[in-house]
């Protein structure tokens, strides 16, 4: 430590070899401060993220039932079992269906909101804030409100009160799978929660478009739709790609609203059961960490492949 | 203070309680990190009596976990019982998220020494060595005193794995005035039940409430028992077939008729739907009786779930929160001694625990006469029904995976009108592979997956 107190830092070493301690501390003790500030987070990252990821991979190759320190290796059998499991395959179909609903609807509605808000001349900040506000709400809280107040099967719930005005009896929105009204409940909850966030992303994209392009289209006599179709939308391409990718990944992570809206005391119904919910039941309820980890690994690979494909598609698009 | 299938209890905060993706990951990460750390800490070889890591002169510490009982006074009572134990300082943990909190905690060294679980430890807990054998706490005389069906349910491989704390039961309640108005008598068989539920339905008032999901996850057990069948045979084969399939079909019929109440804020374990007049009959627990009496006076009656027909029998369901000792307890001998002190020797505490705060049945025959609530009225009728028609909520070898597959099948039968026989054909290999694995100690994984794969 003598190097630390030996005197002022020497920015220009004059041929003299610096001591090891001095070099470890770095110029102006930068290394010391770097590790002082970054170190604790790094430790947290390693202990709570990196180690569990590798531990989970380790578990996926072992028979880990009711234990997280298994001893019996089983090769790829957890993986083959998961891929053969009809419930897991169904959960992947549920994800595809959910993504097919939520991705385009959120994309279109948030873009529409952004365009409308950016065009408005009065109270623009107010509208921007109001639409963004639900993003601050917790998914769990929103799910409980959706389940208990808006779409409860009670005759007094909001949805059933509206239905009564049309002469309909109270219906169980969440429990009855035919017709699948639960998709309306789940999708509307997520739309309410995330529309504002994507609207802000689109607004930022809209502000980057040069006004000269709009002036040119006005001089050319373009209609509002033509301006949107040929100026706004193509200019928003980088934002579009980012929003699509984010939406898709978010759809993959479907968990909070599904478990809190459809989950029951004794389990979860076999419909609208997305992959994370299924894995939660396999790993933490059945305590089969081996199968659960294998499922998580399969899911990670699928997300990575989809993200890579989208990036590749995007690059190909750029070249054109 | 209900118990529930398979092996757990329907407190409102359990599975349907708030749970977020962030918490799932945190829990998963915590479990994995704990595993990584504990891998280096195994095996635990602390000899009995030495785990008192406390300074000399202090008592050794024990940690005891309970789920959050709904009745006022229960928490104070269990803390009082804990203080009465002189050989250790017992710290009571009261968890409102018990179902989610306990299983991961058992994997770590920070879990409880003594804990309760519905119907004793699950087969998965026993198979993975998370709990210890408590057989040596029981004398022959004591074994004879405990309710036999309840003690059988916590026995596996000839060993007793838990001490039953109290018995809860689930049965049918009906509103006398509503049945009289519709000219309906309490049903004595399943066909009468289908007709009664339909006759009692009018507009938003439904005939029967068996759970928000139309009874898909709650009624599988009662229906197969009412058909005279059972979950599993002694040799680990699926214990139910065509007769139960027919009974499952009748539940779908009631669902399709629109006779079943759905979408309530609270599920079958709460009396709210029944006392508010939203349904005329409800499948619910003994623990709701005080609230029902208060709301309805004498305008209600109790009955068993009716027989499904030839060879069938009426059925009520019992479940028992039972005290277990964790294999990771710092001092297993001391933990066992505490369980003996509280749930075997301290009979006054057992009677008070079962009857002073809520409506339950003591788990020992010698204590039932001391339970004043069971000596007259609906309480006596229920206790008699328990004796004549009580069946356990689930079977010991009915693993979590079997439970999920059964619930999935029941949901498809009730809500989609799926063919019950085809469902049973798919269920059979999964259940039998799990049971056989439990009996031989092998892994169920590969066989079950192969058969499930070909079946699906």
């Amino acid at each position: 430590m003598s190097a630390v107190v030996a005197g002022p830092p020497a920015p220009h070493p004059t041929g003299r070899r610096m001591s090891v301690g001095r070099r470890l501390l770095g110029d102006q003790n930068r290394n010391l401060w770097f590790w002082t500030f970054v170190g604790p987070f790094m430790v947290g990252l390693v202990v709570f993220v990196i180690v569990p990821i590798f531990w989970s991979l380790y578990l996926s190759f072992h028979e880990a039932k009711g234990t997280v320190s298994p001893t019996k290796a089983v090769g790829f059998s957890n993986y083959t079992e998961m891929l053969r499991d009809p419930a897991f395959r169904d959960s992947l179909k549920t994800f595809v269906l959910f993504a097919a609903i939520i991705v385009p609807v959120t994309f279109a509605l948030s873009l529409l909101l952004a365009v409308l808000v950016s065009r408005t001349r009065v109270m623009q900040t107010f509208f921007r804030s109001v639409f963004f506000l639900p993003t601050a709400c917790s998914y769990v809280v929103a799910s409980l409100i959706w389940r208990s107040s808006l779409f409860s099967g009670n005759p007094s719930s909001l949805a059933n009160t509206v239905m009564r005005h049309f002469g309909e009896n109270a219906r169980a929105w969440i429990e009855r799978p035919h017709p699948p009204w639960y998709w309306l409940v789940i999708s509307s909850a997520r739309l309410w929660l995330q529309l504002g966030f994507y609207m802000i992303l689109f607004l930022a994209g809209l502000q980057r478009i040069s006004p000269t392009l709009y002036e040119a289209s006005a001089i050319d006599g373009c209609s509002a739709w033509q301006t949107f179709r040929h100026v706004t939308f193509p200019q928003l391409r980088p934002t579009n790609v980012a929003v699509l990718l984010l939406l898709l990944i978010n759809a993959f992570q479907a968990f909070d609203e599904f478990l809190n809206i459809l989950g029951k005391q004794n389990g979860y119904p076999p419909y609208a059961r997305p992959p994370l919910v299924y894995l939660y039941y396999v790993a933490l309820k059945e305590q089969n960490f081996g199968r659960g980890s294998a499922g998580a690994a399969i899911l990670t690979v699928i997300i990575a492949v989809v993200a890579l494909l989208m990036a590749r598609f995007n690059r190909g698009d750029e070249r054109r | 203070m209900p118990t529930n299938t398979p092996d757990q209890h329907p407190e409102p905060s359990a599975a349907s309680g708030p749970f977020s993706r962030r918490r799932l990951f945190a829990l998963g990460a915590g479990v994995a990190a704990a595993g990584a750390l504990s891998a280096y800490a195994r095996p635990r070889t602390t000899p009995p009596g030495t785990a008192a890591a406390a300074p000399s002169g202090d008592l050794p510490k024990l940690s005891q976990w309970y789920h959050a009982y709904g009745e006022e006074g229960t928490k104070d009572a269990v803390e009082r019982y804990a203080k009465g134990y002189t050989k250790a300082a017992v710290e009571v943990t009261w968890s409102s998220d018990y179902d989610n909190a306990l299983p991961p905690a058992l994997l770590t060294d920070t879990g409880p020494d003594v804990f309760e679980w519905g119907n004793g430890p699950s087969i998965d807990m026993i198979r993975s060595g998370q709990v210890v054998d408590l057989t040596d706490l029981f004398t022959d005389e004591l074994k004879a005193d405990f309710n036999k069906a309840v003690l059988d349910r916590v026995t596996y491989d000839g060993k007793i794995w838990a001490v039953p704390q109290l018995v809860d039961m689930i049965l049918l309640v009906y509103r006398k005035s509503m049945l009289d108005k519709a000219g309906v008598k309490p049903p004595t068989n399943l066909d009468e039940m289908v007709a009664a539920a339909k006759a009692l339905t009018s507009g938003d008032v439904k005939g029967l409430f068996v759970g928000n999901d139309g009874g898909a996850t709650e009624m599988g057990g009662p229906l197969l028992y009412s058909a005279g069948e059972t979950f599993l045979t002694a040799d680990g084969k699926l214990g139910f077939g065509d007769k139960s399939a027919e009974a499952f079909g009748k539940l779908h019929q009631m669902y399709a008729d629109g006779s079943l109440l759905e979408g309530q804020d609270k599920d079958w374990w709460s009396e709210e739907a029944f006392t508010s007049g939203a349904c005329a009959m409800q499948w619910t627990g003994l623990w709701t009786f005080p609230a029902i009496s208060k709301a309805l006076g004498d305008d209600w009656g109790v009955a068993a779930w009716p027989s499904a027909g030839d060879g069938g029998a009426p059925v009520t369901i019992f479940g028992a929160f039972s005290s277990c000792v964790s294999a990771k307890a710092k001092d297993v001998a001391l933990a066992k001694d505490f369980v003996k002190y509280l749930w075997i020797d301290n009979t006054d505490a057992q009677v008070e625990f079962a009857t002073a705060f809520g409506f339950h049945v003591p788990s020992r025959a010698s204590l039932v006469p001391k339970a004043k609530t069971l000596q007259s009225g609906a309480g006596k009728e229920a206790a008699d029904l328990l004796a004549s028609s009580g069946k356990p909520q689930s079977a010991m070898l009915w693993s979590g995976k079997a439970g999920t597959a059964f619930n999935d099948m029941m949901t498809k039968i009730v809500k989609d009108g799926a063919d019950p026989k085809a469902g049973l054909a798919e269920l059979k290999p999964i259940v039998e592979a799990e049971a056989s694995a439990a009996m031989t100690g092998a892994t169920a994984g590969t066989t079950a997956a192969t058969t499930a794969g070909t079946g699906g």
Side-chain angles (χ1 to χ4, degrees), chain A residues 3-4 6-13 18 22 26-29:
Chain A
V4 182
H12 302 292
M18 283 197 298
R22 178 71 258 167
D27 193 11
Q28 293 180 324
N29 289 347

Side-chain angles (χ1 to χ4, degrees), chain B residues 64-376:
Chain B
Q64 185 189 21
W65 285 25
Y66 290 94
H67 86 280
Y69 285 77
E71 295 98 345
E72 208 171 311
T74 316
K75 189 175 181 219
D76 293 339
V78 297
E79 282 170 352
R80 179 156 40 83
Y81 306 152
K83 278 205 185 91
Y85 186 60
T86 51
K87 296 182 201 165
V90 183
E91 189 194 351
V92 171
T93 299
W94 191 257
S95 170
S96 57
D97 190 26
Y98 199 65
D99 289 8
N100 293 317
L102 183 86
L106 287 181
L107 303 175
T108 72
D109 292 345
T110 55
D113 298 310
V114 176
F115 65 95
E116 62 171 13
W117 199 246
N119 305 313
S122 69
I123 182 65
D124 297 334
M125 289 178 191
I126 296 173
R127 275 167 66 186
S128 52
Q130 293 175 354
V131 287
V132 301
D133 173 14
L134 301 182
T135 315
D136 57 359
L137 300 183
F138 290 82
T139 60
D140 285 345
E141 195 186 349
L142 197 62
K143 280 184 199 164
D145 192 22
F146 272 93
N147 179 316
K148 183 177 182 309
V150 174
L151 201 59
D152 283 350
R153 180 61 187 77
V154 300
T155 304
Y156 173 65
D157 207 13
K159 295 169 186 154
I160 302 173
W161 295 92
V163 183
Q165 300 171 179
L166 50 71
V167 182
D168 270 321
M169 67 179 289
I170 308 170
L171 70 175
L172 200 65
V173 295
Y174 58 88
R175 188 87 170 255
K176 287 176 182 167
S177 59
M178 289 168 93
L179 266 67
D180 288 347
K181 196 175 158 199
V184 172
K185 290 219 159 52
T188 56
N189 63 49
L190 203 48
D191 288 326
E192 284 179 23
M193 174 60 100
V194 174
K198 199 171 180 180
L200 290 162
T201 297
S202 129
D204 286 342
V205 176
K206 303 291 182 180
L208 176 65
F209 185 39
V210 284
N212 276 328
D213 56 1
T217 53
E218 194 49 40
M219 297 312 292
L223 281 167
L224 67 90
Y225 284 130
S226 76
E229 297 184 310
T230 179
F231 275 95
L232 282 168
T233 61
D235 56 349
K237 302 285 176 223
L238 190 70
F240 52 101
D242 290 355
K243 282 184 187 171
S244 298
E246 200 178 320
F248 298 156
K250 284 180 182 157
L251 184 60
H252 167 69
Q253 195 181 332
M254 287 192 269
Y255 178 84
D257 287 347
S259 313
L260 301 180
L261 185 67
E262 297 164 79
Q264 296 301 295
D265 293 341
K266 291 186 178 168
D267 220 325
W268 63 272
W269 40 258
S270 162
E271 72 288 345
E272 268 179 25
F274 183 62
T275 53
S276 69
C279 62
M281 299 184 283
Q282 184 181 330
W283 180 248
T284 192
L286 195 63
W287 55 88
T288 60
F289 281 21
I292 297 178
S293 281
K294 199 174 163 193
L296 303 179
D298 291 332
D299 185 21
W300 64 292
V302 299
W305 182 260
S307 157
D310 284 347
V315 58
T316 56
I317 295 292
F318 70 77
F321 268 105
S322 305
S323 197
C324 318
V325 172
S326 165
K328 284 187 187 278
K330 287 165 212 73
D331 184 340
V332 169
L334 188 67
K336 281 170 80 169
D337 188 66
F338 173 66
V339 170
K340 180 173 181 299
Y341 150 79
L342 180 52
W343 299 116
I344 290 176
D345 297 341
N346 196 346
T347 50
D348 288 345
Q350 290 155 36
V351 174
E352 184 193 51
F353 187 69
T355 59
F357 314 106
F359 219 87
H360 313 274
V361 184
S363 49
R364 291 161 70 172
S366 61
L367 303 184
V368 174
K370 294 184 184 171
K372 293 193 187 87
T373 45
L374 304 176
Q375 304 311 315
S376 63

Side-chain angles (χ1 to χ4, degrees), chain B residues 30-45:
Chain B
V31 166
L37 297 175
S38 69
Y40 298 100
R42 285 175 309 138
R44 292 188 65 88
T45 49

Side-chain angles (χ1 to χ4, degrees), chain A residues 63 66 68 81 140 153-154 170 175-178 253 256 260 264-266 270-271 273 280 285-287 289, chain B residues 4-5 11 15 17-19 21 100 103 107 130 212 218 255 262-265 269 404 407-408 415-416 449:
Chain A
E63 185 196 321
V68 284
E81 199 186 322
V140 175
N154 271 338
E175 280 82 10
R176 288 243 157 188
H178 305 291
Q253 294 179 342
D256 301 20
N260 288 297
K264 289 271 173 295
Q265 236 67 52
N266 289 346
Y271 52 84
R273 180 165 56 191
Y280 164 67
K285 292 283 182 184
E286 292 174 20
Q287 295 265 301
F289 297 102
Chain B
N4 188 14
T5 41
E11 289 296 334
F19 199 85
R21 187 170 62 233
N100 293 317
L107 303 175
Q130 293 175 354
N212 276 328
E218 194 49 40
Y255 178 84
E262 297 164 79
Q264 296 301 295
D265 293 341
W269 40 258
T404 305
N407 282 348
D408 286 4
K415 298 197 173 185
D416 301 347

Side-chain angles (χ1 to χ4, degrees), chain A:
Chain A
M1 287 306 284
S2 60
V4 182
V5 291
H12 302 292
T14 52
R16 219 156 37 102
R17 268 180 77 88
M18 283 197 298
S19 71
V20 177
R22 178 71 258 167
R23 269 186 294 161
L24 281 178
L25 288 170
D27 193 11
Q28 293 180 324
N29 289 347
R30 274 182 194 161
N31 290 349
L32 175 70
W33 293 117
F34 174 80
W35 286 110
T36 305
F37 287 111
V38 175
F41 297 100
M42 194 74 154
V43 170
L45 190 73
V46 169
V47 172
F48 294 108
V49 178
I50 312 285
V51 169
I53 287 175
F54 283 98
W55 197 262
S56 166
L57 274 176
Y58 172 78
L59 288 176
S60 72
F61 292 105
H62 288 76
E63 185 196 321
K65 202 155 186 220
T67 174
V68 284
S69 40
T71 47
K72 189 177 165 196
V74 291
F76 279 92
S77 86
N78 282 326
Y79 286 88
T80 50
E81 199 186 322
M82 233 30 211
L83 289 170
R84 280 180 190 156
D85 181 350
F88 183 64
R89 291 198 305 250
D90 274 354
S91 78
L92 293 176
K93 283 183 213 154
T94 296
F95 154 69
V96 171
L97 184 61
F98 180 56
I101 300 171
I102 204 72
V103 174
V105 174
T106 314
F107 184 92
L109 288 182
S110 52
L111 179 56
L112 179 70
L113 270 186
V115 170
L116 290 178
V117 168
S118 72
R119 291 259 178 91
T120 184
R121 293 280 165 265
V122 283
M123 293 168 64
Q124 198 191 65
T125 319
F126 169 78
F127 284 117
R128 211 164 49 198
S129 310
V130 162
F131 289 127
F132 183 71
L133 218 52
T135 307
C137 182
S138 138
Y139 268 64
V140 175
V141 171
S143 304
L144 294 181
I145 293 171
W146 251 249
R147 188 185 72 182
S148 309
S149 305
L150 304 185
F151 289 98
S152 138
N154 271 338
S156 59
S157 71
L158 180 72
N160 279 334
T161 308
V162 172
M163 293 302 282
R164 201 165 46 245
H165 283 294
F166 295 100
E168 296 271 332
N169 274 342
R171 71 174 55 165
W173 294 88
I174 296 160
E175 280 82 10
R176 288 243 157 188
H178 305 291
W181 283 113
Y182 55 84
W183 279 124
L184 174 75
V185 182
I186 285 173
S187 308
S188 58
R190 183 168 272 224
L191 273 177
W192 182 77
L193 283 161
Q194 66 178 14
L195 265 187
F197 175 73
Y198 293 102
M199 177 199 76
I200 293 287
L201 294 190
F202 278 124
L203 272 175
L206 287 172
Q207 282 166 4
R208 284 178 55 243
I209 302 174
S210 164
T212 54
L213 293 173
Y214 289 109
E215 284 161 15
S217 72
I219 291 166
D220 285 348
C222 290
S223 67
W225 169 248
Q226 283 171 325
T227 309
F228 177 79
R229 167 79 183 77
H230 298 288
V231 178
T232 311
F233 197 70
Q235 287 292 315
L236 275 177
R237 218 183 48 84
T239 313
N240 293 344
V241 173
V243 166
L244 273 181
L245 193 64
L246 283 176
L247 278 173
L248 207 61
I249 290 175
N250 271 345
F252 253 117
Q253 294 179 342
F255 181 84
D256 301 20
E257 69 273 51
F258 281 83
L259 190 72
N260 288 297
I261 289 176
L262 284 169
K264 289 271 173 295
Q265 236 67 52
N266 289 346
Y268 192 95
Y271 52 84
R273 180 165 56 191
L276 278 189
V277 171
Y278 183 63
L279 294 181
Y280 164 67
Y281 276 92
V282 169
L284 293 173
K285 292 283 182 184
E286 292 174 20
Q287 295 265 301
N288 196 333
F289 297 102
R291 276 183 67 208
S293 300
I298 294 169
L299 211 58
T300 310
V301 170
I302 295 176
I303 296 179
V305 167
V306 169
L308 284 175
L309 283 177
M310 281 191 68
R312 199 185 169 88
F313 175 73
N314 182 31
R315 270 207 302 278
D317 224 28
E318 264 172 16
R319 276 194 214 107
R320 257 184 276 137

